[in-house]
Amino acid sequence: MEDPRAKVIQAWYMDESDEDQRLPHHREPKEYVSFDRLNELGVLSWNLDADNYETDEELKKIRAERGYTYVDFCTVCPAKMPNYEQKIKDFFEEHLHTDEEIRYCVDGSGYFDVRDENEKWIRVWVKKGGMIVLPAGMYHRFTLDTDNYIKAMRLFVGEPVWTPYNRPHDELPARKEYLDTFIKKESGNHAVTAAA
């Protein structure tokens, strides 16, 4: 049975092309990434009812369990975002945050690119109904796809801090904690697998 998240979230390894950042950038042959693999890197995901986000019991449960008390919305598209061209360049600059980045796509779609333990880019395509959590300290970037539109719910624990720390910021405690929790553990797992 197909994972219900696959309807709203897909992930794949990116090619090395410098073409338009809004294109899919699949490798040839295509190399998809599983939800289990994303989870190993600290990326959490859900398929939620975007048409009823105000009353969705599953979203309420996630918010209560994870302590997401703050909510607002961000619409990214040329017509709605002031200084759009500069903002989309800023979003695509590789960066990290000292808190989780939680995004719930209630309309449209976009790409969240994350690094694996070998510094390779994984493109995570989030469509209407998809919610993802990127862990604190994970280098990532965002861009729209060719539809040029996303309306995303932004969630946060407590008062929001949206500060991006552009790479390199490896000295930050959040980065060290991310590496210790996910990447060093991952490297160890892959070493065992390679030796087996």
Side-chain angles (χ1 to χ4, degrees):
M1 190 168 113
E2 183 182 54
D3 190 313
R5 293 174 294 180
K7 292 182 173 82
V8 295
I9 298 170
Q10 293 174 351
W12 56 83
Y13 275 101
M14 293 182 71
D15 64 19
E16 303 290 327
S17 164
D18 288 331
E19 278 188 278
D20 185 345
Q21 67 194 40
R22 299 168 308 138
L23 295 173
H25 286 278
H26 278 286
R27 289 182 176 177
E28 288 301 328
K30 293 178 179 176
E31 197 175 335
Y32 287 94
V33 176
S34 70
F35 290 109
D36 287 343
R37 182 75 183 99
L38 290 175
N39 200 41
E40 288 170 359
L41 294 169
V43 178
L44 307 178
S45 57
W46 294 265
N47 178 350
L48 300 173
D49 181 1
D51 290 323
N52 297 295
Y53 61 80
E54 292 170 349
T55 57
D56 183 14
E57 290 301 321
E58 189 174 359
L59 177 60
K60 287 179 186 172
K61 182 178 166 205
I62 294 165
R63 287 185 61 190
E65 287 173 356
R66 299 188 64 81
Y68 300 151
T69 53
Y70 177 90
V71 172
D72 74 3
F73 292 87
C74 181
T75 301
V76 182
C77 69
K80 298 260 181 155
M81 177 165 274
N83 207 6
Y84 169 79
E85 292 297 332
Q86 185 57 50
K87 284 284 192 193
I88 207 75
K89 284 180 183 155
D90 292 347
F91 294 155
F92 201 61
E93 185 76 29
E94 186 176 0
H95 63 279
L96 61 78
H97 302 284
T98 55
D99 296 283
E100 290 180 334
E101 179 166 315
I102 306 109
R103 297 293 182 270
Y104 175 15
C105 179
V106 296
D107 200 18
S109 52
Y111 295 125
F112 294 84
D113 298 338
V114 300
R115 295 268 193 194
D116 75 0
E117 70 281 357
N118 298 312
E119 293 289 308
K120 300 296 183 193
W121 282 115
I122 296 172
R123 175 149 277 189
V124 183
W125 190 21
V126 181
K127 298 178 268 189
K128 180 179 177 179
M131 184 166 108
I132 65 167
V133 176
L134 306 181
M138 175 185 239
Y139 283 118
H140 64 281
R141 62 190 184 189
F142 171 79
T143 190
L144 292 173
D145 57 24
T146 53
D147 289 341
N148 285 320
Y149 173 75
I150 191 170
K151 180 178 179 183
M153 177 187 289
R154 303 188 299 179
L155 299 106
F156 207 83
V157 176
E159 285 300 307
V161 180
W162 309 120
T163 308
Y165 294 92
N166 289 350
R167 192 166 195 176
H169 262 90
D170 295 339
E171 76 286 355
L172 289 174
R175 179 63 182 166
K176 291 176 180 169
E177 188 174 322
Y178 174 75
L179 292 172
D180 288 344
T181 304
F182 296 104
I183 300 304
K184 290 180 181 167
K185 176 186 79 171
E186 259 320 285
S187 298
N189 287 347
H190 287 295
V192 169
T193 304

